Amino acid sequence: MKRRRVARRRKKSLVEKYVLRLYVTGQTPRSLASVENLRRLCEKYLKGRFDLEVVDIYQQPALAAEGQIIAAPTVIKLMPLPLRRLVGDFSDQGRVVLGLDIKTA
């Protein structure tokens, strides 16, 4: 029985949902590029397994302060743990996958 439980836990961890929060600065070209690049990456590597929240730090400065954002664009992987954060335009998919510790099946 213990083996079955372990197998189920492993299977569950393979389908974990990724929760990402992206902080941007308005509608600047860099912000728009970072949103597009991150969405493209998520669709490629996490199709159906991610929630992406985009926060404009000009519109919601309290959320930026709460997230301790000092540069933008910044993405924070909230789930699964451990928490990870990256700054940039996310055009280098390999760097983003590695930096956010995305498990590609």
Side-chain angles (χ1 to χ4, degrees):
M1 287 248 179
K2 288 182 182 178
R3 288 184 186 171
R4 288 183 186 168
R5 289 182 185 164
V6 170
R8 286 182 189 156
R9 285 184 194 149
R10 284 185 188 156
K11 190 173 184 180
K12 253 188 184 177
S13 68
L14 291 177
V15 293
E16 283 181 314
K17 185 160 245 180
Y18 282 72
V19 179
L20 305 169
R21 185 174 292 155
L22 174 61
Y23 295 88
V24 296
T25 52
Q27 297 290 316
T28 64
R30 184 175 168 104
S31 294
L32 296 174
S34 66
V35 171
E36 181 61 31
N37 289 338
L38 196 56
R39 281 205 173 118
R40 190 177 307 120
L41 180 135
C42 288
E43 284 297 326
K44 181 176 180 180
Y45 294 103
L46 301 172
K47 190 157 186 82
R49 302 186 299 135
F50 72 95
D51 287 325
L52 176 62
E53 177 185 5
V54 179
V55 177
D56 183 339
I57 62 176
Y58 294 147
Q59 300 293 321
Q60 298 176 314
L63 282 178
E66 178 186 306
Q68 300 178 347
I69 303 304
I70 58 173
T74 296
V75 66
I76 299 178
K77 179 186 79 162
L78 301 168
M79 293 298 290
L81 295 175
L83 183 133
R84 300 281 179 114
R85 58 177 71 219
L86 282 178
V87 177
D89 68 359
F90 317 114
S91 58
D92 184 345
Q93 287 191 357
R95 178 180 164 264
V96 177
V97 168
L98 184 65
L100 294 179
D101 193 29
I102 293 175
K103 308 289 188 239
T104 57

